[in-house]
Amino acid sequence: MGWAGPLCTRQLADLGAEVVKVEACQYPDWWRGVDPRPAFFAERQYEKDLRFGVLNRNKAGITLDLSRPEGAALLKRLVREADAVVENYAREVLPKLGLDYPALAAERPDLVMVSMPAFGGSGPWRDARAYGSTLEHASGLPSVSGQADWPPTTNQLAYGDPIGGLNAAAAVLTALLHRRETGEGQHIDLAQVECMFPLVAPWILAQSATGSPGPRRGNRHASMVPQGCFPCTGEGWIAISVADDAAWAGLCRAIGRADLDADPALATAGGRRAREAELDAAIAAWTAGRDADAAMAALQAAGVAAGAVRWPTGLVRDPQLVARGFWQPVERAWLGQHDQPSAPFREAGQGPFPVRRPAPLLGEDNAAVLGAARAPGQGAGGAGRRRHHRHGGGAGLAEEVPRRRAMTAPGRKQE
């Protein structure tokens, strides 16, 4: 998984942690691409993926071949100065390399380490591998998404990766606080699929309490009637949710349907549920001739929950995000100037945490980071060599080692 681990450590890097990203030339971060054709390397296409740039900003980057003794030894030297290690491998990889938690804790006994295999480090599925989208299916979410007559419906957003990464960041911070109080390190076993279960909690609870998860409703809601997403002019859409009977009256006024408001059969949610298709058609007829933002303003003024649906491509110009300085222009070699999204948290009354540096080029910080770690007289055999780029092509993220925030944070950490 090339998203979960890097997002975890990017959260920490945004907060000021010193993070060292460890890749291998043979198996670089998969967001760099896995194209084996010569032009891919000649044109440095592996440095031009914006997704890699967003997930790995504020980090240093080195290359190590962990399958070689020299590379493993260099990693261990780095761990001695690290607060934590975050690794995004399948469960069996680091033990095979002799770099599992006992081996690394021998270098630093109070080390915090997060391992985040798809299904955790124990149980019959411990060695199964997965992607964010397959984790979505394992969580049960597709079985409750979509319309009642649809097959299980994947959202195609690979939820498992970012949700796992955010949970891992919280776990690292909690473990570091625990160590500050007790002096104890720990190995955290994070199952990415289990991070998904809060998304399906309502259906799990319903099954437990009633013996049935209830019907699939698509865009509709169990108690807010009507609710849905309706077309507007151009390519616009608007989401509308009638939360109670007072909002229903407001909706009728806003769309000019006093006849619906006067109908006693529609005065309650149960009555409206029986005629939901008719009401959806009435709302769609009104929204179809209106701009999404204008319709949103009219409905909100009438006390109806409504929001224009935003296209991701339009968010760069969104006035709310612009006013908060959410987009930060960053210059990076081979990628040029581009806008980076800020961290979604900040100190109240302050601007966003800055993007201090762009994502590292492959092996960019080898000299600075590995120079201090290499033993006197030791060659560079463990560091990845650029002539190996031609053979790169797996989706293997090594570790990231977040290290201490300058002057204030308590130590170092690795990804």
Side-chain angles (χ1 to χ4, degrees), residues 126-320:
R126 64 186 180 276
D127 291 326
R129 304 188 182 202
Y131 297 94
S133 54
T134 53
L135 284 174
E136 185 178 338
H137 283 274
S139 76
L141 185 60
S143 67
V144 297
S145 300
Q147 303 292 344
D149 58 343
W150 290 4
T153 304
T154 306
N155 288 278
Q156 298 295 346
L157 296 177
Y159 286 123
D161 285 300
I163 293 175
L166 294 173
N167 276 272
V172 171
L173 293 173
T174 303
L176 291 174
L177 288 173
H178 173 80
R179 188 180 71 186
R180 186 173 69 181
E181 297 299 321
T182 67
E184 299 172 350
Q186 60 184 288
H187 185 200
I188 298 168
D189 174 9
L190 184 143
Q192 293 194 41
V193 68
E194 294 172 16
C195 298
M196 295 280 290
F197 292 159
L199 298 184
V200 294
W203 293 275
I204 294 174
L205 293 175
Q207 177 73 38
S208 176
T210 70
S212 170
R216 297 165 69 190
R217 300 185 183 276
N219 284 333
R220 292 176 175 174
H221 192 272
S223 61
M224 300 181 186
V225 189
Q227 174 178 282
C229 198
F230 302 92
C232 298
T233 56
E235 296 184 346
W237 289 79
I238 185 170
I240 300 172
S241 184
V242 174
D244 51 34
D245 297 339
W248 165 247
L251 174 69
C252 292
R253 290 193 303 271
I255 68 174
R257 292 298 302 268
D259 58 316
L260 297 177
D261 189 23
D263 188 338
L266 300 175
T268 65
R272 295 191 293 274
R273 173 76 67 199
R275 294 164 60 182
E276 201 161 14
E278 173 191 346
L279 301 182
D280 285 352
I283 297 170
W286 181 80
T287 62
R290 287 168 172 78
D291 172 77
D293 283 286
M296 174 180 68
L299 290 169
Q300 289 179 355
V304 180
V309 176
R310 302 301 184 197
W311 296 101
T313 51
L315 291 177
V316 174
R317 300 180 298 277
D318 184 87
Q320 170 68 17

